[in-house]
Amino acid sequence: MSTATAAHDDHHDHGAPAGLMRWVYTTNHKDIGTLYLWFSFVMFMIGGSFAMVIRAELFMPGMQVVDPQFFNSMTTMHGLLMVFGAIMPAMVGLANWQIPLMIGAPDMALPRMNNWSFWILPFAGTMLLSTMFMEGGGPAFGWTFYAPLSTTFAPDSTDFFIFAIHMLGFSSIMGSINVIATVLNMRAPGMTLMKMPLFVWTWLITAFLLIAVMPVLAGAVTMMLTDRNFGTSFFSAAGGGDPVMFQHVFWFFGHPEVYIMILPAFGVVSQIIPTFARKPLFGYASMVYATASIAFLSFIVWAHHMFTVGMPVAGELYFMYATVMIAVPTAVKVFNWAATMWRGSMTFEPPMLWALAFVFLFTLGGFTGLMMGVAPSDMQYHDTYFIVAHFHYVLVTGALFGIIAAVYYWLPKWTGYYPDDRLSKLHFWWSAISVNVLFFPQHFLGLAGMPRRIPDYSLQFADWNMVSSIGGFAFGLGQVFFFFIIVKTIRGGEKATDECWEDAQGLEWTIASPAPYHTFVTPPEIK
Amino acid sequence: MLASKSWRAGHTNAHWPLDSQTRIFALQLLNIGEITPVTRIKNLLGTLFGAVFAIASGDAAAYVFNMPKGVTDISRQVYGLHMMIFWISVVACIAVFAVMIYSIFMHRKDKGAVASTFHESTTVEVIWTTLPMLVLIAVAVPATATLLALEDTRNADLNIQVTGFQWKWRYTYLDEGIEFFSTLDAEHNKIRQVRSGLDPASVEHYLMEVDNPIVVPINQKIRFLITSNDVIHNWWVPALGWKQDAVPGFINDGWTELSEPGTYRGKCAELCGKDHGFMPIVLIAKTEADYATWVDEQKASAAAEANSADRVWDMADLMSKGEQVYNTSCAGCHQVSGAGLPGVFPAIAGSAFAMGDPSAHIDVVFNGATGTAMQAFGAQLSDVDLAAVITYERNAFGNDAGDMVQPATIKALR
C-alpha cells in the first residue's frame, strides 16, 4: 500500500516521456511552447527565403529571376507566412512557455485543447504552401487578398488558401481561449491582476483581440469562398455587392491584427528592460492602461488603411483623428521604457541589446505610422515603399526583435545554458545593422514614388533597391546564424543559474534551470 | 522646385549614377558571366561607395530621398503637411533618443551607477500624455483643411473618365467624345520580359512611358472620374499630390489644376494582378491652344479609323495589324507565344476553340467570358482591331484555321 501511494505521489514528478510520440500526444505547456517556437522558426525560414527571392528580383532594374506572377505569389506568401506562420505562433509559443511560469500555474488551463491548437498549424501551413505547386500557382493577390483579385480573378488554389486561413483561425481562437482561461483562473494565490507581469497582461489583452477579430477574418474568407464557388456576390458590384466592403471587413480584422503581433512584444520588452536596468518598470499601471487603450483604439481606426479607396470625406476625417490618437498611448509606453532606464544600473546582455534595438527602431516605425495617419499625406504614401518600410520597422524590428529578445532572455531557463555571449552579440550587431540597410532606404524609395508589390522599377529607384537587397541578404544570413546559436545552446554551454540574470524579478526565476517538466505543482505564495 | 523639376525631367540616364561599365557588370551580376565573384563584389562595393561619395559631395540630386513637391496647389499643401509632421517626428525622436542614449552611456553598471528605485510620477505621466495630444490637435487643423480642399471636386471645367483594365488605362473625355487606351510603350515592354537580356538603361523613363498619354489643358479644373473594368487599380501621378483607387462598379473622383505645361509620370499603385508593375501613367499638360489642336487631331484619326472598317481587308494586312493588337491587348495574359499560363490563362496556340467555329471565337473576344479574367473587348477595340486580332489568333502560333474575319462582320454585331 505504502509503495503504491508513493508511486502515486511521484506521478507529478516524472520527466518527459521519450520518443517522437511525446510531441504528438503532449499536453505539457513547455513541450507545446517548444513546438510552437520551432514551427514558427521553420515558417520564418521559408517566409524569409521568399523575401530573398523578392530582393533578388529587385536587386536591379529589369526582370532577371522570376516572372511577375510568381513574384506576386512570393510577396503574398511571404506576408502570409510571416504573419500567420512565424510571428503569431512564436508569440503563442512564448505564451505557452511563460504564462504558467510567470503566474505560478502548473500548466495551461486547457491542456488537451492546447495540443490540438498547435497540431492544426502544421496542416494549415502545409496546405498553404502546397498551393505553390498547384496549377496556376499559389495566391498572388497580396497578403491582404483584396477582392475581386482574390475572387473572380484568382487561381483555383485560392480555395486551399481559404481553408488554410480557416484552420489558422481555429488555432488562434483556441490558443486565445486557453490564455484567457489560464490567466483568469490559474494565478497563484495573492497574484492579483495588477501584480501580474506585463508580458501576461499584454497577452491577456491580445487574446481578447484575437477572439474578437479572427471570426471576422473567417467571415471574410467564407464570403470569398461562396463568391468564388456558389454564385454569391458579396464583393462583386455586378451582383449588387461591394468590393470595398471586403476591405472594411478585412481591416476590421487587420488593424487589431497588427496589435496582436506587437502587444506581446511590448510585454517582452517591459520584462527585459527592468531586469537589465535593475530598476522596477516605470509606470506599471499606466503601461496596463496604455495597452488596453491601444487595444480599444485598434477597433475604431481600421479604415486608415483605405484613405484612397473613395470614402466620404467625413469618414476620412474621423479615421484620421482616431488614428493619430493612437500615438498618445504608444508614446506613453516609449516614455515609460525610457524612464525605466533612467538612473538605472544597466548592463547589456544580448536580451537587453535586442530590447533596446526594439525601442529605438519600433519608435521610428511608430513615427512613420503617425505620418501616414495624416490622411492628405497618406494620399502620397499609400501603397508605396514608404509603407513597406513602416510596417517592416514595426513588425521586423518591432515584433520579431521582441521575439528574439524573448528567446535570448528565457533560453537559459528553457535549456539550462546561456547562449554563447560572443556569438549572440555578433548576431545582434549583424542583424541590427543589416536590418537598417535593408529597410531604411525603402523610405526614400516610397517617398520618391515607387509603388509596393512591383517586380521591376524605373531607373531612378535602382540604387536604393540595390542597397536594400544587400541589406536583405545580410539580414537573412544573420537569422540562419541564429539557428546555430540556438542549437549550440541546447547542446550545452555555460550552465545557467536558477536566477539566470542578476537580481531578475518574477516567478520564472525561482524555479530550477532548465525548468523541470512540471513546475508549480504546489502554487507559490505571492506576498 | 528642385524636387518637382527632377521628377518632371524624369529619369534620364543621367539619373542612373553608375558608369556604363559598372552597369554592364551589374546587369551580369545575377547571370552566369565571365566575370569572377571577386570582380562582382568589387563592382558592388564600387556602387556603394559611389552612392556614399555622391551624397557626401552634394551630388544628391542623382539620388531620390524625398517626396516631390509636385506642381499643383494641392500637391504643395500635401508636401507641406508631410514636411511638418516629419519635422515634428524628428524633434520628438531626438528628445526621446537623447534621454535613452544619455542613460545608456551614463547609467550603466560598469560605470558604477546604482539603480534608483522610483517607478512612478503622476505629474510626469500627465505631462507626457497631454503634450502629444496638443501636438496632434495642432497637426489635425491644417490636415483637415487640406483634406477638404483635396476632396472638393465641384465646379470642374473638364471631366475625364479614367478606367483601369488589366493592365492598361482607358481615358474617356466625356465632354469631347474622345476615348483611347494607354499601355506601356512597346520597346519598354520588350525590355521588361523575363531575362530579355535588354538593358533598361537603353530607353528613357524605363517603365514610365506609354503609347497614348493622357493630355489635359492647363488652367482648367479637371475632374477625373475613376473606375475599373475588372479588379481594383489605383491611378497615381505623384506630381498631382494624390492617388485614387479605381474600383469596379463604383466611380471615385479626384481633381487637379495645372498651371504649367509639362509631362508628369506615375504608375498604378494598387496590386492588380500579374502585370501590376507595367501599367504606367503619362500625363501631358498643354496650353489651351495646343490642347484644342490635339483634340481636333484625335477626332480626325478616330474618323479615319471608322472608315477603314468598311473596306475588305486581305490576310496579310489583317495578320500584321492583328499581331500588333495581340501584343498590346492579349499578350499580357495569353503570352506573346500564345501559350498562356496553365491554370490561370488558357493557351490560344493549338487551341481547338481558336481554330473552331469563328462566331463562337468572335463572341468570347467581343463579350468576354463571365466569371473569368477574359474581358469584353467589344467595348475596347475598334472593328478593324477586333477582326485583325481574331484572324491573327486563328492563324498564328501554328494555328491553321485558314479563315479570315472581316471588320464588316464585327461592325454588324454592334
Side-chain angles (χ1 to χ4, degrees):
Chain A
M1 280 310 283
S2 65
T3 47
T5 318
H8 182 78
D9 284 348
D10 282 343
H11 180 73
H12 290 288
D13 296 314
H14 66 66
L20 187 67
M21 293 321 268
R22 162 189 175 181
W23 300 102
V24 178
Y25 291 142
T26 186
T27 54
N28 179 290
H29 74 102
K30 299 182 185 77
D31 281 355
I32 293 172
T34 305
L35 286 171
Y36 265 111
L37 288 167
W38 277 116
F39 173 80
S40 92
F41 195 82
V42 170
M43 288 294 136
F44 175 62
M45 283 291 131
I46 300 174
S49 68
F50 293 171
M52 296 300 106
V53 174
I54 295 169
R55 284 321 316 173
E57 183 54 67
L58 293 175
F59 187 75
M60 62 180 123
M63 299 291 298
Q64 293 88 11
V65 185
V66 292
D67 72 77
Q69 181 76 12
F70 189 74
F71 181 89
N72 288 345
S73 163
M74 285 288 103
T75 57
T76 306
M77 294 297 277
H78 166 72
L80 291 170
L81 287 186
M82 289 307 198
V83 169
F84 294 106
I87 301 289
M88 290 171 67
M91 294 300 186
V92 183
L94 294 174
N96 258 291
W97 251 104
Q98 288 309 126
I99 287 178
L101 294 187
M102 293 170 100
I103 62 172
D107 204 308
M108 296 295 277
L110 306 159
R112 283 172 199 276
M113 192 169 81
N114 206 11
N115 172 291
W116 195 32
S117 56
F118 170 75
W119 276 109
I120 284 178
L121 285 182
F123 294 94
T126 308
M127 181 172 298
L128 187 56
L129 281 168
S130 72
T131 59
M132 306 281 300
F133 303 99
M134 292 179 189
E135 200 183 44
F141 31 65
W143 86 275
T144 53
F145 50 100
Y146 282 3
L149 189 59
S150 61
T151 53
T152 319
F153 294 83
D156 292 344
S157 67
T158 306
D159 296 327
F160 288 84
F161 152 83
I162 290 172
F163 192 35
I165 293 287
H166 270 133
M167 289 165 73
L168 292 165
F170 292 151
S171 166
S172 290
I173 290 170
M174 288 192 289
S176 312
I177 290 173
N178 218 343
V179 167
I180 293 171
T182 307
V183 172
L184 295 186
N185 295 307
M186 298 186 61
R187 299 190 310 280
M191 178 168 282
T192 59
L193 285 174
M194 289 309 274
K195 275 188 189 166
M196 289 195 310
L198 218 70
F199 177 72
V200 181
W201 253 118
T202 53
W203 238 112
L204 177 65
I205 292 168
T206 302
F208 277 105
L209 288 182
L210 272 168
I211 288 187
V213 301
M214 290 313 282
V216 179
L217 178 67
V221 293
T222 306
M223 286 188 271
M224 272 174 65
L225 188 76
T226 61
D227 268 14
R228 287 173 51 80
N229 299 297
F230 306 115
T232 58
S233 296
F234 290 106
F235 306 132
S236 161
D242 181 353
V244 176
M245 187 179 78
F246 174 86
Q247 296 183 30
H248 283 291
V249 177
F250 179 84
W251 287 113
F252 189 83
F253 146 80
H255 198 74
E257 168 68 17
V258 304
Y259 293 102
I260 286 164
M261 290 188 277
I262 199 66
L263 290 183
F266 285 171
V268 167
V269 169
S270 303
Q271 299 299 131
I272 293 175
I273 291 181
T275 300
F276 297 96
R278 291 168 181 73
K279 192 163 153 279
L281 182 69
F282 185 87
Y284 172 89
S286 70
M287 281 302 223
V288 173
Y289 300 141
T291 310
S293 315
I294 292 173
F296 169 73
L297 288 170
S298 78
F299 283 107
I300 58 167
V301 297
W302 75 90
H304 66 217
H305 297 267
M306 304 162 54
F307 280 140
T308 68
V309 88
M311 264 188 291
V313 70
E316 291 179 336
L317 286 174
Y318 161 73
F319 280 107
M320 170 168 73
Y321 300 149
T323 299
V324 294
M325 287 312 292
I326 295 184
V328 175
T330 313
V332 166
K333 284 192 154 286
V334 174
F335 294 150
N336 282 344
W337 289 321
T340 305
M341 292 157 62
W342 187 254
R343 287 176 52 209
S345 172
M346 275 190 277
T347 51
F348 300 92
E349 286 86 346
M352 182 63 161
L353 290 175
W354 287 93
L356 288 175
F358 171 98
V359 179
F360 279 102
L361 299 175
F362 174 81
T363 302
L364 285 188
F367 277 119
T368 50
L370 175 64
M371 292 172 77
M372 284 184 292
V374 179
S377 310
D378 190 60
M379 299 290 170
Q380 290 279 44
Y381 308 137
H382 180 78
D383 266 338
T384 67
Y385 260 79
F386 192 74
I387 190 191
V388 176
H390 157 76
F391 67 68
H392 281 97
Y393 266 88
V394 291
L395 286 178
V396 176
T397 61
L400 177 65
F401 273 33
I403 292 165
I404 297 177
V407 169
Y408 277 113
Y409 187 50
W410 286 312
L411 207 52
K413 182 54 64 187
W414 300 340
T415 64
Y417 301 108
Y418 290 106
D420 185 296
D421 195 58
R422 232 163 40 95
L423 295 184
S424 311
K425 283 182 174 159
L426 181 65
H427 174 219
F428 169 76
W429 287 108
W430 180 271
S431 302
I433 292 167
S434 60
V435 83
N436 282 292
V437 176
L438 165 57
F439 293 122
F440 207 81
Q442 296 184 359
H443 291 115
F444 307 143
L445 288 170
L447 291 176
M450 179 169 161
R452 67 192 285 206
R453 294 164 169 164
I454 57 173
D456 194 6
Y457 47 79
S458 313
L459 299 189
Q460 74 270 29
F461 305 129
D463 304 291
W464 290 127
N465 268 303
M466 191 182 279
V467 172
S468 177
S469 286
I470 292 167
F473 301 141
F475 185 73
L477 189 67
Q479 307 327 304
V480 177
F481 189 52
F482 183 37
F483 172 78
F484 288 108
I485 294 176
I486 295 170
V487 172
K488 191 173 183 304
T489 311
I490 293 170
R491 295 164 68 103
E494 191 195 335
K495 280 233 178 294
T497 60
D498 290 354
E499 198 179 39
C500 293
W501 311 107
E502 188 186 56
D503 212 16
Q505 302 294 308
L507 288 175
E508 76 263 44
W509 311 117
T510 63
I511 57 173
S513 297
Y517 199 57
H518 293 290
T519 41
F520 297 123
V521 178
T522 315
E525 201 61 50
I526 314 293
K527 49 225 173 281
Chain B
M1 224 28 235
L2 185 71
S4 65
K5 190 160 169 286
S6 73
W7 185 260
R8 281 166 57 189
H11 320 297
T12 58
N13 296 349
H15 286 250
W16 172 236
L18 310 182
D19 62 76
S20 60
Q21 194 59 33
T22 316
R23 189 164 65 232
I24 291 160
F25 280 130
L27 281 168
Q28 290 172 350
L29 205 64
L30 290 169
N31 298 326
I32 311 298
E34 290 135 40
I35 43 173
T36 64
V38 178
T39 322
R40 291 183 194 189
I41 292 163
K42 267 166 71 181
N43 284 313
L44 214 60
L45 289 175
T47 309
L48 276 179
F49 285 126
V52 173
F53 178 76
I55 294 161
S57 65
D59 186 23
Y63 289 85
V64 291
F65 286 103
N66 201 359
M67 184 189 285
K69 237 182 229 160
V71 291
T72 65
D73 184 40
I74 288 289
S75 75
R76 283 183 283 265
Q77 284 186 43
V78 167
Y79 177 82
L81 273 176
H82 156 67
M83 290 315 287
M84 178 179 76
I85 187 80
F86 170 72
W87 284 116
I88 290 173
S89 301
V90 168
V91 170
C93 240
I94 289 174
V96 178
F97 287 1
V99 171
M100 286 172 53
I101 291 168
Y102 181 84
S103 215
I104 286 169
F105 281 99
M106 303 308 290
H107 305 146
R108 47 199 297 157
K109 197 182 173 202
D110 57 16
K111 281 202 169 177
V114 179
S116 60
T117 51
F118 71 87
H119 57 86
E120 58 191 357
S121 158
T122 313
T123 324
V124 173
E125 289 175 61
V126 168
I127 291 173
W128 72 35
T129 311
T130 323
L131 200 67
M133 237 185 260
L134 295 175
V135 173
L136 292 176
I137 292 168
V139 172
V141 174
T144 303
T146 302
L147 191 65
L148 291 174
L150 194 149
E151 298 287 358
D152 183 4
T153 54
R154 289 171 299 176
N155 305 321
D157 301 309
L158 180 66
N159 293 290
I160 302 175
Q161 185 187 328
V162 178
T163 312
F165 287 73
Q166 284 184 322
W167 293 279
K168 60 203 165 195
W169 296 98
R170 185 179 69 193
Y171 299 110
T172 311
Y173 289 64
L174 298 172
D175 310 301
E176 322 274 13
I178 300 171
E179 179 171 276
F180 57 88
F181 279 88
S182 181
T183 48
L184 179 67
D185 179 88
E187 186 57 32
H188 295 236
N189 199 31
K190 274 186 207 144
I191 297 171
R192 69 96 178 173
Q193 298 302 321
V194 182
R195 285 181 285 276
S196 67
L198 301 170
D199 182 359
S202 65
V203 290
E204 255 195 283
H205 312 300
Y206 177 55
L207 298 183
M208 291 258 203
E209 193 65 88
V210 296
D211 50 1
N212 304 308
I214 172 173
V215 175
V216 297
I218 57 168
N219 300 327
Q220 288 197 24
K221 181 165 181 175
I222 301 151
R223 180 179 179 224
F224 299 96
L225 297 149
I226 300 168
T227 185
S228 167
N229 183 62
D230 36 52
V231 300
I232 300 175
H233 302 267
N234 183 304
W235 197 78
W236 182 35
V237 177
L240 305 185
W242 51 267
K243 62 170 71 71
Q244 184 68 61
D245 279 6
V247 182
F250 291 81
I251 295 177
N252 287 324
D253 59 359
W255 70 277
T256 198
E257 183 164 349
L258 295 148
S259 52
E260 264 181 80
T263 302
Y264 310 102
R265 293 167 199 278
K267 286 192 165 201
C268 175
E270 180 64 62
L271 178 63
C272 56
K274 183 169 79 69
D275 284 347
H276 162 57
F278 309 104
M279 48 182 291
I281 298 154
V282 178
L283 181 142
I284 297 178
K286 290 182 187 278
T287 61
E288 277 148 307
D290 287 351
Y291 174 73
T293 315
W294 177 83
V295 167
D296 291 341
E297 284 168 13
Q298 294 300 305
K299 286 181 175 166
S301 75
E305 175 84 27
N307 286 337
S308 70
D310 294 332
R311 75 176 168 88
V312 174
W313 287 56
D314 65 25
M315 189 66 150
D317 286 352
L318 283 171
M319 286 297 280
S320 75
K321 177 82 178 165
E323 181 174 12
Q324 198 188 328
V325 177
Y326 180 86
N327 287 338
T328 323
S329 295
C330 314
C333 298
H334 296 290
Q335 308 300 304
V336 176
S337 66
L341 283 181
V344 194
F345 306 120
I348 295 174
S351 146
F353 182 79
M355 289 180 275
D357 176 20
S359 60
H361 190 170
I362 293 170
D363 179 60
V364 162
V365 178
F366 197 86
N367 296 315
T370 314
T372 73
M374 180 64 194
Q375 304 167 6
F377 285 92
Q380 298 183 33
L381 299 174
S382 70
D383 300 342
V384 173
D385 287 350
L386 284 165
V389 81
I390 295 167
T391 306
Y392 179 75
E393 287 174 357
R394 302 178 68 76
N395 298 291
F397 337 108
N399 288 1
D400 55 0
D403 50 9
M404 281 187 279
V405 176
Q406 286 297 332
T409 317
I410 308 291
K411 199 174 182 183
L413 291 172
R414 295 193 188 267

